Coordinates of all heavy atoms in Angstrom, one line a residue:
M73 N 15.4 -9.5 -31.3 CA 14.6 -8.4 -30.9 C 13.9 -8.7 -29.6 O 13.9 -7.9 -28.6 CB 13.5 -8.1 -32.0 CG 12.8 -6.8 -31.7 SD 13.9 -5.3 -31.7 CE 12.8 -4.1 -30.9
K74 N 13.3 -9.9 -29.4 CA 12.7 -10.3 -28.2 C 13.7 -10.3 -27.0 O 13.4 -9.8 -25.9 CB 12.1 -11.7 -28.3 CG 10.7 -11.7 -28.7 CD 10.1 -13.1 -28.5 CE 8.7 -13.1 -29.1 NZ 8.3 -14.4 -29.6
K75 N 14.9 -10.7 -27.3 CA 15.9 -10.8 -26.3 C 16.3 -9.4 -25.8 O 16.5 -9.2 -24.6 CB 17.2 -11.5 -26.9 CG 17.9 -12.4 -26.0 CD 19.0 -13.1 -26.7 CE 19.7 -14.0 -25.7 NZ 20.8 -14.7 -26.4
L76 N 16.3 -8.5 -26.8 CA 16.7 -7.1 -26.4 C 15.6 -6.5 -25.5 O 15.9 -5.8 -24.5 CB 16.8 -6.3 -27.7 CG 17.2 -4.8 -27.5 CD1 18.6 -4.8 -27.1 CD2 17.0 -4.0 -28.8
L77 N 14.4 -6.8 -25.8 CA 13.3 -6.3 -25.0 C 13.4 -6.8 -23.5 O 13.3 -6.0 -22.6 CB 11.9 -6.8 -25.5 CG 11.1 -5.7 -26.3 CD1 9.8 -6.3 -26.8 CD2 10.8 -4.5 -25.4
L78 N 13.7 -8.1 -23.4 CA 13.9 -8.7 -22.1 C 15.0 -8.0 -21.3 O 14.9 -7.6 -20.1 CB 14.2 -10.2 -22.2 CG 13.0 -11.1 -22.1 CD1 13.5 -12.5 -22.2 CD2 12.3 -10.9 -20.8
V79 N 16.1 -7.8 -22.0 CA 17.3 -7.1 -21.4 C 16.9 -5.7 -20.9 O 17.4 -5.3 -19.8 CB 18.5 -7.1 -22.4 CG1 19.6 -6.3 -21.8 CG2 18.9 -8.5 -22.7
V80 N 16.1 -5.1 -21.7 CA 15.7 -3.7 -21.3 C 14.7 -3.7 -20.2 O 14.7 -2.9 -19.3 CB 15.1 -2.9 -22.5 CG1 14.6 -1.6 -22.1 CG2 16.2 -2.8 -23.6
L81 N 13.7 -4.6 -20.2 CA 12.6 -4.6 -19.3 C 13.0 -5.2 -17.9 O 12.5 -4.8 -16.9 CB 11.4 -5.4 -19.9 CG 10.7 -4.5 -20.9 CD1 9.5 -5.4 -21.4 CD2 10.1 -3.2 -20.3
L82 N 13.8 -6.3 -17.9 CA 14.0 -7.0 -16.6 C 14.5 -6.1 -15.5 O 14.0 -6.1 -14.4 CB 14.9 -8.2 -16.9 CG 14.1 -9.5 -17.2 CD1 15.1 -10.6 -17.4 CD2 13.1 -9.8 -16.1
P83 N 15.6 -5.3 -15.7 CA 16.1 -4.5 -14.6 C 15.0 -3.5 -14.1 O 14.9 -3.3 -12.9 CB 17.2 -3.7 -15.3 CG 17.5 -4.4 -16.5 CD 16.3 -5.1 -17.0
F84 N 14.2 -3.1 -15.0 CA 13.1 -2.1 -14.7 C 12.1 -2.8 -13.7 O 11.8 -2.2 -12.7 CB 12.4 -1.7 -15.9 CG 11.3 -0.6 -15.7 CD1 11.7 0.6 -15.2 CD2 10.0 -0.9 -15.9 CE1 10.7 1.6 -15.0 CE2 9.0 0.0 -15.7 CZ 9.4 1.3 -15.2
V85 N 11.7 -4.0 -14.0 CA 10.8 -4.7 -13.2 C 11.4 -5.0 -11.8 O 10.8 -4.9 -10.8 CB 10.4 -6.1 -13.9 CG1 9.6 -7.0 -12.9 CG2 9.5 -5.8 -15.1
A86 N 12.7 -5.3 -11.8 CA 13.4 -5.6 -10.6 C 13.4 -4.4 -9.7 O 13.2 -4.5 -8.5 CB 14.8 -6.1 -10.9
V87 N 13.7 -3.2 -10.3 CA 13.7 -2.0 -9.5 C 12.4 -1.7 -8.9 O 12.3 -1.3 -7.8 CB 14.2 -0.8 -10.4 CG1 14.0 0.5 -9.7 CG2 15.7 -1.0 -10.7
M88 N 11.3 -1.9 -9.7 CA 9.9 -1.6 -9.2 C 9.6 -2.5 -8.0 O 9.1 -2.0 -7.0 CB 8.9 -1.9 -10.3 CG 9.0 -1.1 -11.5 SD 8.2 0.5 -11.3 CE 6.5 0.0 -11.3
A89 N 10.0 -3.8 -8.1 CA 9.7 -4.7 -7.0 C 10.5 -4.3 -5.8 O 9.9 -4.3 -4.7 CB 10.0 -6.1 -7.4
Q90 N 11.7 -3.8 -6.0 CA 12.5 -3.4 -4.8 C 11.9 -2.2 -4.2 O 11.9 -2.1 -2.9 CB 13.9 -3.1 -5.4 CG 15.0 -3.4 -4.4 CD 16.3 -3.0 -4.9 OE1 16.4 -2.3 -5.9 NE2 17.4 -3.5 -4.3
A91 N 11.5 -1.3 -5.0 CA 10.9 0.0 -4.4 C 9.7 -0.3 -3.5 O 9.6 0.3 -2.4 CB 10.5 0.9 -5.6
S92 N 8.8 -1.2 -4.0 CA 7.7 -1.4 -3.1 C 8.0 -2.2 -1.9 O 7.5 -1.9 -0.8 CB 6.6 -2.2 -3.9 OG 7.1 -3.3 -4.5
E93 N 9.0 -3.1 -1.9 CA 9.4 -3.8 -0.7 C 10.0 -2.8 0.3 O 9.8 -2.9 1.5 CB 10.4 -4.9 -1.0 CG 9.8 -6.2 -1.3 CD 10.8 -7.2 -1.9 OE1 12.0 -7.1 -1.5 OE2 10.4 -8.0 -2.8
Q94 N 10.7 -1.9 -0.3 CA 11.4 -0.9 0.6 C 10.3 0.0 1.3 O 10.4 0.2 2.5 CB 12.2 0.1 -0.2 CG 13.6 -0.5 -0.3 CD 14.5 0.5 -1.2 OE1 14.0 1.5 -1.7 NE2 15.7 0.1 -1.4
A95 N 9.3 0.4 0.6 CA 8.2 1.2 1.2 C 7.6 0.4 2.3 O 7.4 0.9 3.4 CB 7.1 1.5 0.2
V96 N 7.3 -0.9 2.1 CA 6.7 -1.7 3.1 C 7.6 -1.9 4.3 O 7.1 -1.6 5.5 CB 6.3 -3.1 2.5 CG1 5.9 -4.0 3.6 CG2 5.1 -2.9 1.5
S97 N 8.8 -2.2 4.1 CA 9.7 -2.4 5.3 C 10.0 -1.1 6.0 O 10.3 -1.1 7.2 CB 10.9 -3.2 4.9 OG 11.6 -2.5 3.9
K98 N 10.1 0.0 5.2 CA 10.5 1.3 5.8 C 9.4 1.9 6.6 O 9.6 2.5 7.7 CB 10.9 2.2 4.7 CG 12.3 2.8 4.9 CD 12.9 3.4 3.6 CE 12.5 4.8 3.4 NZ 12.9 5.3 2.1
Y99 N 8.1 1.9 6.0 CA 7.1 2.7 6.6 C 6.0 1.9 7.4 O 5.4 2.4 8.3 CB 6.3 3.4 5.5 CG 7.2 4.4 4.7 CD1 7.3 4.3 3.3 CD2 8.0 5.4 5.4 CE1 8.1 5.1 2.6 CE2 8.8 6.2 4.7 CZ 8.9 6.1 3.3 OH 9.6 6.9 2.6
Y100 N 5.8 0.6 7.0 CA 4.6 -0.1 7.5 C 4.6 -0.1 9.0 O 3.7 0.3 9.7 CB 4.5 -1.5 6.9 CG 3.3 -2.2 7.5 CD1 2.0 -1.9 7.2 CD2 3.5 -3.2 8.5 CE1 1.0 -2.5 7.8 CE2 2.5 -3.9 9.1 CZ 1.2 -3.5 8.7 OH 0.1 -4.1 9.3
A101 N 5.7 -0.6 9.6 CA 5.8 -0.8 11.1 C 5.6 0.5 11.8 O 5.0 0.5 12.9 CB 7.1 -1.5 11.4
K102 N 6.1 1.6 11.3 CA 6.1 2.8 12.0 C 4.8 3.6 11.8 O 4.5 4.5 12.6 CB 7.2 3.8 11.5 CG 8.5 3.3 12.0 CD 9.6 4.4 11.6 CE 10.9 3.7 11.4 NZ 11.7 4.4 10.4
T103 N 4.0 3.2 10.8 CA 2.8 4.0 10.6 C 1.5 3.2 10.5 O 0.9 3.0 11.5 CB 2.9 4.9 9.3 OG1 3.2 4.0 8.2 CG2 4.1 5.9 9.4
C104 N 1.2 2.6 9.3 CA 0.0 1.9 9.1 C -0.2 0.8 10.2 O -1.4 0.5 10.6 CB 0.0 1.2 7.7 SG 0.8 2.1 6.5
A105 N 0.9 0.1 10.6 CA 0.7 -1.0 11.5 C 0.0 -0.7 12.8 O -0.7 -1.5 13.4 CB 2.1 -1.6 11.8
I106 N 0.3 0.6 13.2 CA -0.3 1.0 14.5 C -1.8 0.8 14.6 O -2.3 0.3 15.6 CB 0.0 2.6 14.7 CG1 1.5 2.8 14.7 CG2 -0.7 3.1 16.0 CD1 1.9 4.2 14.5
C107 N -2.5 1.0 13.5 CA -3.9 0.8 13.5 C -4.3 -0.5 12.7 O -5.3 -1.1 13.1 CB -4.6 2.0 12.8 SG -4.3 3.5 13.7
H108 N -3.6 -0.8 11.6 CA -4.1 -1.9 10.8 C -3.7 -3.3 11.2 O -4.2 -4.2 10.6 CB -3.6 -1.6 9.3 CG -4.5 -0.5 8.7 ND1 -5.7 -0.7 8.0 CD2 -4.3 0.8 8.6 CE1 -6.2 0.4 7.6 NE2 -5.3 1.4 7.9
T109 N -2.8 -3.4 12.2 CA -2.5 -4.8 12.6 C -3.6 -5.3 13.5 O -4.0 -6.5 13.3 CB -1.2 -4.8 13.4 OG1 -0.1 -4.3 12.6 CG2 -0.8 -6.2 13.9
S110 N -4.1 -4.5 14.4 CA -5.2 -5.0 15.3 C -6.6 -4.5 14.9 O -7.6 -4.9 15.5 CB -4.8 -4.6 16.7 OG -4.7 -3.1 16.7
G111 N -6.7 -3.6 13.9 CA -8.0 -3.1 13.5 C -8.5 -2.1 14.4 O -9.7 -2.1 14.7
V112 N -7.7 -1.1 14.8 CA -8.2 0.0 15.6 C -9.3 0.8 14.9 O -9.2 1.1 13.8 CB -7.0 1.0 15.9 CG1 -7.4 2.3 16.6 CG2 -5.9 0.3 16.8
A113 N -10.4 1.1 15.7 CA -11.5 1.9 15.2 C -12.0 1.3 13.8 O -12.3 2.1 12.9 CB -11.1 3.4 15.0
N114 N -12.0 0.0 13.7 CA -12.6 -0.7 12.6 C -11.7 -0.5 11.3 O -12.2 -0.6 10.2 CB -14.0 -0.2 12.2 CG -15.0 -1.0 12.9 OD1 -14.7 -2.2 13.2 ND2 -16.2 -0.5 13.2
A115 N -10.4 -0.3 11.5 CA -9.5 -0.3 10.3 C -9.5 -1.7 9.8 O -9.5 -2.7 10.5 CB -8.1 0.1 10.8
P116 N -9.5 -1.9 8.4 CA -9.3 -3.2 7.8 C -8.0 -3.8 8.2 O -7.0 -3.1 8.2 CB -9.4 -2.9 6.3 CG -9.2 -1.5 6.2 CD -9.6 -0.8 7.4
K117 N -8.0 -5.1 8.7 CA -6.8 -5.7 9.3 C -5.8 -6.2 8.2 O -6.3 -6.8 7.2 CB -7.2 -6.8 10.2 CG -7.8 -6.3 11.5 CD -7.7 -7.4 12.5 CE -8.9 -8.1 13.0 NZ -10.2 -7.6 12.8
T118 N -4.6 -6.0 8.4 CA -3.5 -6.5 7.5 C -3.6 -8.0 7.4 O -3.6 -8.7 8.4 CB -2.1 -6.0 8.0 OG1 -2.1 -4.6 8.1 CG2 -1.0 -6.5 7.1
G119 N -3.6 -8.5 6.2 CA -3.6 -9.9 5.9 C -5.0 -10.6 6.0 O -5.1 -11.8 5.8
V120 N -6.0 -9.8 6.3 CA -7.4 -10.4 6.4 C -8.1 -9.9 5.1 O -8.6 -8.8 5.0 CB -8.1 -9.9 7.7 CG1 -9.5 -10.5 7.7 CG2 -7.3 -10.3 8.9
A121 N -8.0 -10.8 4.1 CA -8.5 -10.4 2.8 C -10.0 -10.0 2.8 O -10.4 -9.1 2.1 CB -8.3 -11.6 1.8
S122 N -10.8 -10.6 3.7 CA -12.3 -10.3 3.8 C -12.5 -8.9 4.3 O -13.5 -8.3 3.9 CB -13.0 -11.3 4.6 OG -12.5 -11.4 5.9
D123 N -11.6 -8.4 5.1 CA -11.7 -7.0 5.5 C -11.5 -6.0 4.4 O -12.1 -4.9 4.3 CB -10.7 -6.6 6.6 CG -11.1 -7.1 8.0 OD1 -12.0 -7.9 8.1 OD2 -10.4 -6.7 9.0
W124 N -10.7 -6.5 3.4 CA -10.3 -5.6 2.3 C -11.2 -5.7 1.1 O -11.3 -4.7 0.3 CB -8.9 -5.8 1.9 CG -7.9 -5.3 3.0 CD1 -7.4 -6.0 4.0 CD2 -7.4 -4.0 3.1 NE1 -6.6 -5.2 4.8 CE2 -6.6 -3.9 4.3 CE3 -7.6 -2.8 2.4 CZ2 -6.0 -2.8 4.7 CZ3 -7.0 -1.6 2.9 CH2 -6.1 -1.6 4.0
A125 N -11.9 -6.8 1.0 CA -12.6 -7.1 -0.3 C -13.6 -5.9 -0.7 O -13.5 -5.5 -1.8 CB -13.3 -8.4 -0.2
P126 N -14.4 -5.5 0.3 CA -15.4 -4.4 -0.1 C -14.6 -3.1 -0.5 O -15.1 -2.3 -1.3 CB -16.3 -4.2 1.1 CG -15.6 -4.9 2.2 CD -14.6 -5.9 1.7
R127 N -13.5 -2.9 0.1 CA -12.7 -1.6 -0.1 C -12.0 -1.7 -1.5 O -11.9 -0.7 -2.2 CB -11.8 -1.4 1.0 CG -12.5 -1.2 2.3 CD -11.6 -0.9 3.5 NE -12.3 -0.9 4.7 CZ -12.8 0.2 5.3 NH1 -12.8 1.4 4.7 NH2 -13.4 0.2 6.5
L128 N -11.5 -2.9 -1.8 CA -10.8 -3.1 -3.0 C -11.7 -2.8 -4.2 O -11.2 -2.5 -5.3 CB -10.1 -4.5 -3.1 CG -8.9 -4.7 -2.2 CD1 -8.6 -6.2 -2.2 CD2 -7.7 -3.9 -2.7
E129 N -13.0 -3.1 -4.0 CA -13.9 -2.9 -5.1 C -13.9 -1.4 -5.6 O -14.3 -1.1 -6.7 CB -15.3 -3.3 -4.7 CG -15.6 -4.7 -4.8 CD -16.9 -5.1 -4.2 OE1 -17.8 -4.3 -4.0 OE2 -17.0 -6.4 -3.9
K130 N -13.6 -0.5 -4.7 CA -13.5 0.9 -5.1 C -12.4 1.2 -6.1 O -12.4 2.3 -6.7 CB -13.3 1.8 -3.9 CG -14.3 1.8 -2.8 CD -14.0 2.9 -1.8 CE -13.9 2.2 -0.4 NZ -13.6 3.3 0.6
G131 N -11.4 0.3 -6.1 CA -10.2 0.5 -6.9 C -9.1 1.2 -6.2 O -9.3 1.8 -5.2
M132 N -7.9 0.9 -6.7 CA -6.7 1.3 -6.0 C -6.6 2.8 -5.9 O -6.2 3.4 -4.8 CB -5.5 0.7 -6.7 CG -4.1 1.1 -6.1 SD -4.0 0.6 -4.3 CE -3.5 -1.1 -4.4
D133 N -7.0 3.5 -7.0 CA -6.8 5.0 -6.9 C -7.7 5.6 -5.8 O -7.3 6.5 -5.1 CB -7.2 5.6 -8.3 CG -6.2 5.3 -9.3 OD1 -5.1 4.8 -9.0 OD2 -6.4 5.5 -10.5
A134 N -8.9 5.1 -5.7 CA -9.8 5.6 -4.7 C -9.2 5.4 -3.3 O -9.3 6.2 -2.4 CB -11.2 5.0 -4.8
M135 N -8.6 4.2 -3.1 CA -8.0 3.9 -1.8 C -6.8 4.8 -1.5 O -6.6 5.3 -0.3 CB -7.7 2.5 -1.7 CG -8.9 1.6 -1.6 SD -8.7 0.2 -0.7 CE -7.7 -0.7 -1.8
V136 N -5.9 5.0 -2.5 CA -4.8 5.9 -2.3 C -5.3 7.3 -1.9 O -4.8 7.9 -1.0 CB -3.9 5.9 -3.5 CG1 -2.9 7.0 -3.5 CG2 -3.2 4.6 -3.7
H137 N -6.4 7.7 -2.6 CA -7.0 9.0 -2.3 C -7.5 9.1 -0.8 O -7.2 10.0 -0.1 CB -8.1 9.2 -3.3 CG -8.7 10.6 -3.3 ND1 -9.8 10.9 -2.5 CD2 -8.3 11.7 -3.9 CE1 -10.1 12.2 -2.7 NE2 -9.2 12.7 -3.5
S138 N -8.1 8.0 -0.4 CA -8.6 8.0 1.0 C -7.4 8.1 2.0 O -7.6 8.9 3.0 CB -9.2 6.6 1.4 OG -10.3 6.3 0.5
V139 N -6.3 7.4 1.7 CA -5.2 7.5 2.7 C -4.6 9.0 2.6 O -4.4 9.6 3.7 CB -4.1 6.5 2.3 CG1 -3.0 6.6 3.4 CG2 -4.6 5.1 2.2
Q140 N -4.5 9.5 1.4 CA -3.8 10.8 1.3 C -4.7 11.9 2.0 O -4.1 12.8 2.6 CB -3.6 11.2 -0.1 CG -2.4 10.4 -0.7 CD -2.2 10.7 -2.2 OE1 -3.1 10.8 -2.9 NE2 -0.9 10.7 -2.5
N141 N -6.0 11.8 2.0 CA -6.9 12.8 2.6 C -7.4 12.4 3.9 O -8.0 13.2 4.6 CB -8.0 13.0 1.6 CG -7.6 13.7 0.3 OD1 -7.2 14.8 0.3 ND2 -7.5 12.8 -0.7
G142 N -7.2 11.2 4.4 CA -7.7 10.7 5.6 C -9.1 10.2 5.4 O -9.8 10.6 4.4
L143 N -9.6 9.3 6.3 CA -11.0 8.8 6.1 C -11.4 8.4 7.5 O -10.9 7.6 8.2 CB -10.9 7.5 5.3 CG -12.3 6.9 5.0 CD1 -13.1 7.7 4.1 CD2 -12.1 5.5 4.3
N144 N -12.5 9.2 8.0 CA -13.0 9.0 9.4 C -11.9 9.0 10.4 O -11.2 10.0 10.6 CB -13.9 7.7 9.4 CG -15.1 7.8 8.5 OD1 -15.6 8.9 8.3 ND2 -15.4 6.8 7.8
A145 N -11.6 7.8 11.0 CA -10.7 7.8 12.1 C -9.2 7.7 11.6 O -8.3 7.8 12.4 CB -10.9 6.5 13.0
M146 N -9.1 7.5 10.3 CA -7.7 7.5 9.8 C -7.2 8.9 9.5 O -7.8 9.6 8.7 CB -7.6 6.6 8.5 CG -6.2 6.7 7.9 SD -5.8 5.3 6.8 CE -7.0 5.6 5.5
P147 N -6.1 9.3 10.1 CA -5.6 10.7 9.8 C -5.0 10.8 8.4 O -4.7 9.8 7.8 CB -4.5 10.8 10.8 CG -4.0 9.4 11.2 CD -5.2 8.5 11.0
P148 N -5.0 12.0 7.8 CA -4.4 12.2 6.5 C -3.1 11.6 6.4 O -2.3 11.7 7.3 CB -4.4 13.7 6.3 CG -5.4 14.2 7.3 CD -5.4 13.3 8.4
K149 N -2.8 10.9 5.3 CA -1.5 10.2 5.0 C -1.3 9.1 5.9 O -0.2 8.5 5.9 CB -0.4 11.2 5.0 CG -0.5 12.3 3.9 CD 0.8 12.9 3.6 CE 1.1 13.0 2.1 NZ 2.5 13.2 1.8
G150 N -2.3 8.6 6.7 CA -2.1 7.5 7.6 C -0.9 7.7 8.5 O -0.3 6.7 8.8
M151 N -0.6 8.9 8.8 CA 0.6 9.2 9.6 C 1.9 9.1 8.9 O 3.0 9.2 9.6 CB 0.6 8.5 10.9 CG -0.5 9.1 11.9 SD -1.1 8.2 13.3 CE 0.3 7.4 13.9
C152 N 1.9 8.7 7.6 CA 3.2 8.6 6.9 C 3.5 9.8 6.1 O 3.1 9.9 4.9 CB 3.2 7.3 6.1 SG 4.8 7.0 5.3
M153 N 4.1 10.8 6.7 CA 4.2 12.1 6.0 C 5.2 12.0 4.8 O 5.1 12.8 3.9 CB 4.7 13.2 7.0 CG 3.7 13.4 8.1 SD 2.1 13.8 7.4 CE 1.0 13.4 8.7
S154 N 6.1 11.1 4.8 CA 7.1 11.1 3.7 C 6.7 10.0 2.6 O 7.4 9.8 1.7 CB 8.5 10.8 4.2 OG 8.5 9.8 5.2
C155 N 5.5 9.4 2.8 CA 5.1 8.4 1.8 C 4.6 9.1 0.5 O 3.9 10.1 0.6 CB 3.9 7.5 2.3 SG 4.5 6.3 3.5
S156 N 5.0 8.5 -0.6 CA 4.4 9.0 -1.9 C 3.2 8.1 -2.3 O 2.9 7.1 -1.6 CB 5.5 8.8 -3.0 OG 5.7 7.4 -3.2
A157 N 2.5 8.5 -3.4 CA 1.4 7.8 -3.8 C 1.8 6.3 -4.1 O 1.1 5.4 -3.8 CB 0.8 8.4 -5.0
D158 N 3.0 6.1 -4.7 CA 3.4 4.8 -5.0 C 3.7 4.0 -3.7 O 3.5 2.8 -3.7 CB 4.7 4.8 -5.8 CG 4.4 5.1 -7.3 OD1 3.2 5.0 -7.7 OD2 5.4 5.5 -8.0
D159 N 4.2 4.7 -2.7 CA 4.4 4.0 -1.4 C 3.1 3.5 -0.9 O 3.0 2.4 -0.4 CB 5.1 4.9 -0.4 CG 6.5 5.3 -0.8 OD1 7.2 4.5 -1.5 OD2 7.0 6.3 -0.4
F160 N 2.1 4.4 -0.9 CA 0.8 4.0 -0.4 C 0.2 2.8 -1.1 O -0.3 1.9 -0.5 CB -0.2 5.2 -0.5 CG 0.0 6.3 0.5 CD1 0.1 7.6 0.1 CD2 0.3 6.0 1.8 CE1 0.3 8.6 1.0 CE2 0.5 7.0 2.8 CZ 0.6 8.3 2.4
K161 N 0.4 2.8 -2.5 CA -0.1 1.7 -3.3 C 0.6 0.4 -2.8 O 0.0 -0.6 -2.6 CB 0.3 2.0 -4.7 CG -0.5 1.2 -5.7 CD -0.4 1.7 -7.1 CE -0.7 0.7 -8.1 NZ 0.4 0.2 -8.9
A162 N 1.9 0.4 -2.6 CA 2.7 -0.8 -2.2 C 2.2 -1.2 -0.8 O 2.0 -2.4 -0.6 CB 4.2 -0.5 -2.2
L163 N 1.9 -0.3 0.1 CA 1.5 -0.6 1.4 C 0.1 -1.2 1.4 O -0.2 -2.2 2.1 CB 1.5 0.7 2.3 CG 2.9 1.2 2.7 CD1 2.9 2.7 3.1 CD2 3.6 0.3 3.7
I164 N -0.8 -0.6 0.6 CA -2.1 -1.2 0.5 C -2.1 -2.6 -0.1 O -2.8 -3.5 0.3 CB -3.0 -0.3 -0.4 CG1 -3.2 1.1 0.3 CG2 -4.4 -0.9 -0.7 CD1 -3.8 2.2 -0.6
E165 N -1.2 -2.8 -1.1 CA -1.1 -4.1 -1.7 C -0.6 -5.1 -0.7 O -1.2 -6.3 -0.6 CB -0.2 -4.1 -2.9 CG -0.9 -3.8 -4.2 CD 0.0 -3.3 -5.3 OE1 1.2 -3.4 -5.2 OE2 -0.6 -2.9 -6.4
Y166 N 0.3 -4.7 0.1 CA 0.8 -5.6 1.2 C -0.2 -5.9 2.2 O -0.4 -7.0 2.6 CB 2.0 -4.9 1.9 CG 2.5 -5.5 3.1 CD1 3.2 -6.7 3.1 CD2 2.2 -5.0 4.4 CE1 3.6 -7.3 4.3 CE2 2.5 -5.6 5.5 CZ 3.3 -6.8 5.5 OH 3.6 -7.4 6.7
M167 N -1.0 -4.9 2.7 CA -1.9 -5.1 3.7 C -3.1 -5.9 3.3 O -3.7 -6.6 4.1 CB -2.4 -3.7 4.3 CG -1.3 -2.9 4.9 SD -1.9 -1.6 6.0 CE -2.6 -0.5 4.8
S168 N -3.5 -5.7 2.0 CA -4.8 -6.3 1.6 C -4.6 -7.8 1.0 O -5.6 -8.4 0.7 CB -5.4 -5.5 0.5 OG -4.6 -5.4 -0.6
S169 N -3.3 -8.2 0.9 CA -3.2 -9.6 0.4 C -3.1 -10.6 1.6 O -2.6 -10.2 2.7 CB -1.9 -9.8 -0.4 OG -0.8 -9.2 0.2
A170 N -3.8 -11.7 1.5 CA -3.9 -12.7 2.6 C -2.5 -13.2 3.0 O -1.7 -13.4 2.1 CB -4.8 -13.8 2.2
K171 N -2.3 -13.4 4.2 CA -1.0 -13.9 4.7 C -1.2 -15.5 4.8 O -2.2 -16.0 5.2 CB -0.7 -13.4 6.1 CG -0.4 -11.9 6.1 CD 0.9 -11.6 5.6 CE 1.1 -10.3 4.9 NZ 0.1 -9.5 4.6
Ligands
HEC364 C1 -4.6 6.2 13.4 C2 -5.0 4.9 12.8 C3 -4.6 4.6 11.4 C4 -3.4 4.7 10.8 C5 -2.0 5.1 11.4 C6 -3.5 4.2 9.4 N1 -4.9 3.9 9.2 FE1 -5.7 3.3 7.4 N2 -7.5 3.2 8.3 C7 -7.8 3.5 9.6 C8 -9.2 3.3 9.9 C9 -9.9 3.5 11.2 C10 -9.8 3.0 8.6 C11 -11.3 2.7 8.3 C12 -11.9 4.0 7.9 C13 -13.4 3.9 7.7 O1 -13.7 3.3 6.7 O2 -14.1 4.4 8.5 C14 -8.7 2.9 7.7 C15 -8.9 2.6 6.3 C16 -7.8 2.5 5.4 C17 -8.0 2.2 4.0 C18 -9.3 1.9 3.3 C19 -9.7 3.2 2.7 C20 -11.0 3.1 1.9 O3 -11.2 3.9 1.0 O4 -11.9 2.3 2.2 C21 -6.8 2.1 3.5 C22 -6.4 1.9 2.0 C23 -5.8 2.4 4.5 N3 -6.5 2.6 5.7 C24 -4.5 2.5 4.3 C25 -3.5 2.9 5.3 C26 -2.1 3.1 5.0 C27 -1.4 2.7 3.7 C28 -1.6 3.5 6.2 C29 -0.1 3.8 6.5 C30 0.5 4.7 5.6 C31 -2.7 3.7 7.2 N4 -3.8 3.3 6.6 C32 -2.5 4.1 8.5 C33 -6.9 3.8 10.6 C34 -5.5 4.1 10.4

């Protein structure tokens, strides 16, 4: 029974991981990076965990909401018109983890 569960779950986990990597490599450089690499207008910088710590406290859903609606200097959807909520989540996870 355990073995069966593994066989069923593993491909699913692999597909999820692949989807988020794709979002990051497809969208990050063309959209979020424009502001979040250098911290334009006080944007939290990619890979600088201390910039993200106070924002992460709000929770992932609140941050996805900020991106979708825009926040101060950040335009709605962070300029990524084709990003889904899951893509934003993957992008935020990528940007907020320390390099
Ligand atoms: C035009 C510049 C710009 C682009 C492009 C941009 N951001 Fe931002 N982002 C900002 C700025 C500025 C802030 C800080 C806003 C504030 O708190 O005043 C910010 C804040 C955020 C936050 C924190 C929100 C919160 O609730 O504290 C997240 C998450 C975020 N950006 C994600 C993204 C993602 C994902 C992308 C790409 C899809 C993106 N941003 C693209 C400028 C940008």
Side-chain angles (χ1 to χ4, degrees):
M73 191 58 197
K74 265 191 187 151
K75 219 175 179 181
L76 182 70
L77 255 181
L78 266 181
V79 170
V80 172
L81 284 179
L82 271 180
F84 183 67
V85 170
V87 166
M88 295 281 287
Q90 211 182 15
S92 55
E93 270 169 36
Q94 271 178 1
V96 167
S97 57
K98 237 165 80 187
Y99 301 125
Y100 178 72
K102 286 188 206 145
T103 58
C104 327
I106 300 164
C107 300
H108 285 274
T109 300
S110 55
V112 171
N114 270 334
K117 290 200 251 337
T118 300
V120 180
S122 56
D123 279 13
W124 288 93
R127 299 182 186 268
L128 287 169
E129 278 173 18
K130 297 190 239 182
M132 181 56 82
D133 288 349
M135 290 211 289
V136 169
H137 189 265
S138 302
V139 185
Q140 285 177 322
N141 294 285
L143 183 68
N144 299 320
M146 177 160 63
K149 297 201 131 198
M151 283 162 41
C152 184
M153 295 309 156
S154 45
C155 281
S156 66
D158 281 345
D159 291 335
F160 288 132
K161 196 168 160 248
L163 289 162
I164 294 167
E165 272 161 7
Y166 168 76
M167 295 200 291
S168 62
S169 49
K171 295 282 148 354

